[in-house]
Amino acid sequence: MTTMEKTANVPEPRAGDDTAPLLEVRDLHVEFHTRDGVAKAVNGVNYSVSAGETLAVLGESGSGKSVTAQAIMGILDMPPGKIPQGEILFRGQDMLKMSGEERRKIRGSKIAMIFQDALSSLNPVLSVGYQLGEMYRVHQGLSKKEAKAKAIDLMDRVRIPAAKERVNDYPHQFSGGMRQRIMIAMALALEPDLIIADEPTTALDVTVQAQVMDLLAELQREYNMGLILITHDLGVVADVADKIAVMYAGRIVETAPVGELYKRPAHPYTRGLLDSIPRLDQKGQELYAIKGLPPNLLHIPTGCAFNPRCPKATDLCRTDIPALHQVTEKDGAELAGRGSACHFWKETIHG
Amino acid sequence: MGRFVARRLLQMIPVFIGTTLLIFLMVYSLPGDPVKSLFGPKAADPATVERLRHQYGLDKPLLEQYWNYISGLFKGDFGQSFTGRPVADLMAEAFPVTIRLALLAFGFEVIVGVALGILTGLKRGKFLDQIVLVLTLVVISIPVFVIGYVTQFLLGLKWKVITPTVQDSMNIGQLMVPAIVLAALSLAYVTRLTRTTVGENLRADYMRTAVAKGLPRKRVIGVHLMRNSLIPVVTFLGTDLGMLMGGAIVTEGIFNIQGVGNTLFRSIQTSEGPTVVGIVTVLVLVYLVSSLVVDLLYAVLDPRIRYA
């Protein structure tokens, strides 16, 4: 492990040590101190991403998926946000222990983020060329002219037509899909090791969604980047992700390789999510919905946070918080990368 | 852009005619006869009165008087005041003083107001913010003449830091304190406006993006936050420059500054039509031009604004 840290600090070896994860989140907690009390947004999240791998983080609004991402980026509003415990290891180094300046240098150049709403996430009064070129000017010290040339290259690379003519345009002059491409270009500018995409396609219409996801996946392959894809869209996940982590009330309730999860969910919440996808072969029938609402983070239910909405909840679920169990086959054979935070995962997966 | 400017300039013509006509009518409907008041307490000789009336053109119908005035204006002739001096001369003396005073006040307003606004906007709810909020509220709620007289009393009479009134109206050092008094109200507004827009934009999504890009804090605040926050402030400042020019009557009166405000006040008291109309006409022009400049500047600062 220590030797890997050493090599990891050398700038280039992105294709090298593929066994060590690029990013590892360990037992991360995030809470927000508000007037009404302490909202526990993230309660002990563990996940990891390696180079070239795509991790999809799935969950409803308020499940803590975006907050986890913001904690990794270091863009949480603190206060009111607070990280009482946990580690975020990037190439083996805990980013939470770094100085502000060290973290700033990682942001944008090593870990970049794509936001959901490109219109509000881009500065309305600066041209896109300026905003793209800023990455090079700040992190690489290029001149204004060089930065603009690089910005045009970038816009070409994310396939924005007539990049040269459009480089001085402002965000509001682009269509939604083009704007999101600019966001992607901005994240890609310095060829980071890891990209966090926070619902990158939610604000787009369906045909454009597919184009943007394809572009993102293609560029990820090209640069062998790690990708954390935060979404609540199960359809988006199926095509691009390698593994999935399902979050609920600030905890990971299930992890699985992508195909496995769709075939055999091992948590009632995941099953509920899958059942609520409209299906052509069930046309005319009532669409399933998970009953109730996501929990109030100020008062998370005792035991398993999902118990008030779970059709299979027992007394045990109301008192004991389930750990993330290793999921196995019926005969006890280990299923790699699968875990479920349900007391009754066996019943859920094996029927 | 060119068409927009042209249209705005054309729009100025009816505004200009309308305001001057209005002022003209109002001044001439003031009670009291300006010619008779020239005689003071003495009995007026009807022949002299008649001669003076004819000299100033006051015996003609009102609209003809207006027409004569306007046509003179386009030849650069502002007419004569009743004391016999050309109004243009009076204005040439008064305007440099008021421009100095207004620019001083404006500079003070911009530098202190914007700086305080940014500081308090970034540190909302902190001690400095609370203090500034209370102070600006006090300034906004007190009329200018109270601030003026209190300053004059404390600094001029009690502590003798300055002379109670301005001795030399062209001396910038002496105009400093009156300028601060004149700026006080606008300064309070600028501070509050800047504080609000800074605080609002601080929470905007693009600020989060700027931080996520790994930009240094200096750049996040100085470029991304400021470019957005200062748009409404610049708009306010632009229209305020005109206000400062015309609104100095009280301040100039208190500190005895021989500027436009003072001259205007005296002319109103003596019903000196030509002087009042002349000064107000120039002030109207200042307003019109400064609001055009603000509109143009607005589009430079915010690319989302389109001229139509």
Side-chain angles (χ1 to χ4, degrees), chain A residues 282 284-288:
Chain A
Q282 286 169 4
Q285 293 175 32
E286 194 183 335
L287 185 62
Y288 179 80

Side-chain angles (χ1 to χ4, degrees), chain A residues 104 120-121 123 131 134 139, chain B residues 205 209 213-214 219 224 228:
Chain A
R104 179 184 74 73
S120 64
S121 298
N123 196 323
Q131 294 186 61
E134 215 176 12
H139 288 283
Chain B
D205 282 353
T209 312
K213 280 163 86 177
R219 198 178 175 85
H224 287 260
N228 283 281

Side-chain angles (χ1 to χ4, degrees), chain B:
Chain B
M1 173 87 180
R3 277 184 61 191
F4 174 78
V5 177
R7 218 175 56 203
R8 284 294 299 269
L9 288 173
L10 284 176
Q11 276 173 6
M12 280 186 181
I13 297 171
V15 174
F16 178 75
I17 293 174
T19 43
T20 46
L21 180 62
L22 211 62
I23 304 285
F24 203 81
L25 294 176
M26 280 159 83
V27 169
Y28 283 90
S29 64
L30 282 177
D33 186 330
V35 178
K36 275 186 186 150
S37 69
L38 280 175
F39 291 89
K42 285 183 285 180
D45 166 29
T48 322
V49 169
E50 209 43 51
R51 190 175 51 76
L52 280 172
R53 271 187 201 281
H54 184 72
Q55 186 190 331
Y56 291 112
L58 295 174
D59 50 351
K60 298 194 182 92
L62 198 55
L63 276 180
E64 196 186 332
Q65 287 184 39
Y66 177 69
W67 172 249
N68 288 340
Y69 181 77
I70 285 289
S71 50
L73 217 56
F74 282 107
K75 286 178 238 147
D77 178 15
F78 279 88
Q80 271 193 344
S81 82
F82 292 150
T83 51
R85 292 190 60 194
V87 174
D89 279 10
L90 277 176
M91 289 202 291
E93 263 171 37
F95 266 103
V97 174
T98 296
I99 289 173
R100 265 161 212 244
L101 184 67
L103 284 182
L104 268 180
F106 188 69
F108 193 67
E109 178 187 340
V110 172
I111 294 165
V112 180
V114 172
L116 275 181
I118 292 170
L119 274 179
T120 52
L122 290 176
K123 305 239 175 255
R124 270 193 171 196
K126 298 278 167 61
F127 183 68
L128 178 76
D129 182 35
Q130 308 278 354
I131 295 276
V132 170
L133 269 187
V134 171
L135 281 182
T136 50
L137 186 65
V138 168
V139 171
I140 290 172
S141 20
I142 296 178
V144 185
F145 72 88
V146 176
I147 299 175
Y149 280 123
V150 168
T151 323
Q152 188 181 39
F153 173 73
L154 290 179
L155 294 181
L157 296 171
K158 204 153 181 220
W159 300 325
K160 306 218 185 296
V161 189
I162 54 163
T163 51
T165 54
V166 172
Q167 309 300 316
D168 173 9
S169 294
M170 296 295 272
N171 185 323
I172 287 184
Q174 291 191 12
L175 287 180
M176 209 57 106
V177 173
I180 292 173
V181 171
L182 178 61
L185 182 65
S186 309
L187 192 147
Y189 279 126
V190 168
T191 305
R192 287 186 158 227
L193 182 63
T194 312
R195 172 183 179 272
T196 311
T197 58
V198 165
E200 242 166 48
N201 283 299
L202 210 50
R203 286 194 303 267
D205 282 353
Y206 63 80
M207 285 295 287
R208 196 184 51 188
T209 312
V211 175
K213 280 163 86 177
L215 308 181
R217 192 173 154 76
K218 244 190 339 201
R219 198 178 175 85
V220 174
I221 304 281
V223 177
H224 287 260
L225 179 65
M226 283 308 125
R227 265 307 303 271
N228 283 281
S229 303
L230 290 183
I231 294 171
V233 179
V234 168
T235 318
F236 178 81
L237 286 176
T239 44
D240 202 50
L241 189 59
M243 288 272 286
L244 288 176
M245 296 272 293
I249 298 182
V250 177
T251 315
E252 290 189 357
I254 294 171
F255 291 97
N256 188 37
I257 299 166
Q258 302 306 314
V260 171
N262 235 340
T263 315
L264 190 60
F265 186 62
R266 256 187 286 118
S267 321
I268 293 172
Q269 279 182 320
T270 53
S271 308
E272 262 188 46
T275 320
V276 176
V277 182
I279 288 176
V280 174
T281 304
V282 174
L283 287 180
V284 166
L285 283 178
V286 170
Y287 269 108
L288 288 178
V289 171
S290 68
S291 69
L292 175 63
V293 170
V294 165
D295 282 351
L296 294 180
L297 208 60
Y298 201 67
V300 173
L301 290 174
D302 192 341
R304 286 165 298 182
I305 305 289
R306 284 274 143 268
Y307 298 117

Side-chain angles (χ1 to χ4, degrees), chain A residues 293-311:
Chain A
L293 292 168
N296 181 346
L297 295 175
L298 292 168
H299 311 284
I300 295 177
T302 54
C304 172
F306 187 57
N307 81 64
R309 305 171 74 184
C310 183

Side-chain angles (χ1 to χ4, degrees), chain A residues 203-236:
Chain A
L204 304 175
D205 55 70
V206 183
T207 47
V208 184
Q209 274 184 8
Q211 291 172 12
V212 168
M213 273 326 294
D214 286 347
L215 176 72
L216 196 58
E218 186 192 314
L219 292 166
Q220 182 209 5
R221 269 197 303 279
E222 196 181 324
Y223 296 113
N224 195 33
M225 296 177 298
L227 175 66
I228 298 178
L229 182 66
I230 297 168
T231 181
H232 54 234
D233 187 340
L234 285 154
V236 167

